[in-house]
């Protein structure tokens, strides 16, 4: 649990050589969208200004009455440790993966619990084609992230027998999924983030097939600074000091649609919300 991943971004996300094709596709999509005057911001006005610990929670659905299509959530790499069967282990087919509380390991794992500042994550999946005004009821989200030390369960040294901080939820009538977790650490070379995959249905997710979207959620710097000043996040302070959203190899070409609205405190815990147009 003390691995610091000092070898840089390729330890978790394979670095620029792995991510450049994804980034190139994103830039081309944005250029094409700009030429056709498609909006490139998120579906809520909150993303026009930086999110912070004092920002209001994002709306569960867009308040826009426009029927015009809005931009889908940017496509990102799942990294080398997705646990979805695309790189070794497949947690999605294990009984118990459908759950809201992802702080503990389940099934035949070691039964450990991820420690850290409490975090509740709510994603609202909406239909981009309808202008982000229609919730995607009955879709599913698989969400995963590193622990306080920057390690990924199932893969990182010391936690290969754990499967915590991974889980699947089906979207409700409002297109929402909610996960109870802990605030992720910051490892060398990457801005603090959460991975997620969107599936058309819960059956697709638990069969690990037919992913519709793969993306990442980013955290505001002021919140990260506050959380990382607490016990157990020592390495994150050092790692974050050499990073910014503008230099991160995933978020550097734009993060407006992926920057979560976060509020709360280190004593009461935080909530992170994000609208996900698909």
């Amino acid at each position: 649990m003390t691995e610091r991943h000092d070898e840089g971004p390729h330890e978790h996300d394979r670095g620029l050589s792995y991510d450049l094709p994804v980034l190139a596709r994103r830039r081309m999509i944005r250029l094409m969208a700009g030429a056709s005057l498609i909006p490139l911001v998120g579906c809520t006005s909150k993303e026009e200004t930086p999110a912070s610990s004092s920002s209001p929670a994002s709306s569960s659905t867009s308040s826009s009455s426009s029927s015009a299509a809005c931009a889908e959530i940017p496509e990102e790499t799942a990294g080398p440790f997705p646990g979805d069967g695309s790189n070794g282990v497949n947690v999605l087919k294990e009984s118990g993966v459908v759950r809201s509380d992802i702080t503990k390991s389940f099934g035949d794992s070691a039964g450990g619990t991820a420690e850290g500042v409490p975090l509740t994550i709510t994603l609202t999946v909406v239909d981009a084609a309808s202008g982000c005004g229609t919730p995607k009821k009955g879709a599913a989200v698989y969400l995963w992230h590193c622990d306080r030390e920057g390690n990924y369960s199932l893969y990182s040294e010391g936690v290969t027998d754990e499967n915590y901080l991974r889980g699947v939820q089906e979207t409700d009538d409002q297109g929402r999924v909610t996960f109870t977790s802990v605030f992720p650490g910051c490892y060398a070379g990457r801005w603090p983030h959460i991975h997620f995959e969107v599936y058309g249905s819960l059956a697709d997710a638990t069969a690990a097939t037919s992913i519709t979207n793969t993306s990442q959620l980013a955290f505001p710097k002021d919140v990260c600074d506050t959380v990382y000043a607490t016990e157990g996040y020592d390495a994150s302070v050092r790692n974050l000091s050499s990073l910014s959203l503008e230099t991160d190899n995933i978020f550097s070409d734009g993060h407006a649609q992926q920057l979560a609205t976060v509020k709360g405190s280190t004593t009461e815990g935080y909530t992170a919300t994000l609208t996900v147009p698909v």
Side-chain angles (χ1 to χ4, degrees), residues 139-220:
V141 175
Y142 167 44
L143 181 145
W144 73 99
H145 62 83
C146 71
D147 62 19
R148 182 172 61 180
E149 286 76 24
N151 296 318
Y152 282 87
S153 67
L154 301 175
Y155 295 92
S156 298
E157 182 180 354
V159 292
T160 55
D161 292 333
E162 304 289 356
N163 56 18
Y164 54 51
L165 305 183
R166 299 177 184 274
V168 174
Q169 281 281 285
E170 183 178 29
T171 58
D172 64 15
D173 290 348
Q174 300 302 313
R176 291 178 301 216
V177 292
T178 297
F179 296 90
T180 300
S181 191
V182 295
F183 204 96
C186 177
Y187 53 82
R190 278 306 317 276
W191 189 260
H193 63 283
I194 288 177
H195 294 269
F196 60 90
E197 294 171 344
V198 180
Y199 293 80
S201 68
L202 187 61
D204 285 345
T206 53
T209 186
S210 302
I211 300 170
T212 63
N213 302 81
T214 303
S215 196
Q216 298 181 25
L217 172 156
F219 289 94

Side-chain angles (χ1 to χ4, degrees), residues 74-92:
E75 190 74 9
E76 307 288 13
T77 175
F81 305 138
D84 61 2
S86 62
N87 185 24
V89 293
N90 190 343
V91 75
L92 294 176

Side-chain angles (χ1 to χ4, degrees), residues 7-247:
E7 293 184 29
H10 64 278
E11 277 292 305
H12 288 292
D13 292 273
R14 297 183 182 176
L16 285 175
S17 63
Y18 182 84
D19 296 327
L20 276 175
V22 174
L23 300 178
R25 289 196 299 273
R26 285 180 55 194
R27 291 190 177 97
M28 181 60 69
I29 291 171
R30 293 183 183 211
L31 286 172
M32 294 173 64
S36 60
L37 299 181
I38 297 175
L40 294 182
V41 297
C43 299
T44 58
S45 61
K46 72 176 179 63
E47 290 164 343
E48 295 176 2
T49 57
S52 70
S53 58
S54 60
S55 299
S58 63
S59 300
S60 60
T61 60
S62 169
S63 60
S64 172
S65 60
S66 172
S67 61
C70 67
E72 290 187 15
I73 193 77
E75 190 74 9
E76 307 288 13
T77 175
F81 305 138
D84 61 2
S86 62
N87 185 24
V89 293
N90 190 343
V91 75
L92 294 176
K93 293 186 177 182
E94 294 186 19
S95 175
V97 71
V98 180
R99 58 194 188 138
S100 59
D101 187 340
I102 61 174
T103 57
K104 297 177 175 61
S105 290
F106 65 94
D108 296 329
S109 70
T113 300
E115 302 295 335
V117 172
L119 174 69
T120 299
I121 307 149
T122 298
L123 304 182
T124 302
V125 183
V126 296
D127 181 19
S130 69
C132 294
T134 304
K136 282 280 192 179
K137 176 185 177 182
V141 175
Y142 167 44
L143 181 145
W144 73 99
H145 62 83
C146 71
D147 62 19
R148 182 172 61 180
E149 286 76 24
N151 296 318
Y152 282 87
S153 67
L154 301 175
Y155 295 92
S156 298
E157 182 180 354
V159 292
T160 55
D161 292 333
E162 304 289 356
N163 56 18
Y164 54 51
L165 305 183
R166 299 177 184 274
V168 174
Q169 281 281 285
E170 183 178 29
T171 58
D172 64 15
D173 290 348
Q174 300 302 313
R176 291 178 301 216
V177 292
T178 297
F179 296 90
T180 300
S181 191
V182 295
F183 204 96
C186 177
Y187 53 82
R190 278 306 317 276
W191 189 260
H193 63 283
I194 288 177
H195 294 269
F196 60 90
E197 294 171 344
V198 180
Y199 293 80
S201 68
L202 187 61
D204 285 345
T206 53
T209 186
S210 302
I211 300 170
T212 63
N213 302 81
T214 303
S215 196
Q216 298 181 25
L217 172 156
F219 289 94
K221 184 180 186 303
D222 62 338
V223 177
C224 294
D225 287 337
T226 300
V227 172
Y228 294 161
T230 64
E231 182 180 0
Y233 288 97
D234 298 5
S236 294
V237 175
R238 181 181 69 249
N239 293 331
L240 188 68
S241 66
S242 62
L243 297 168
S244 71
L245 279 162
E246 289 69 34
T247 60

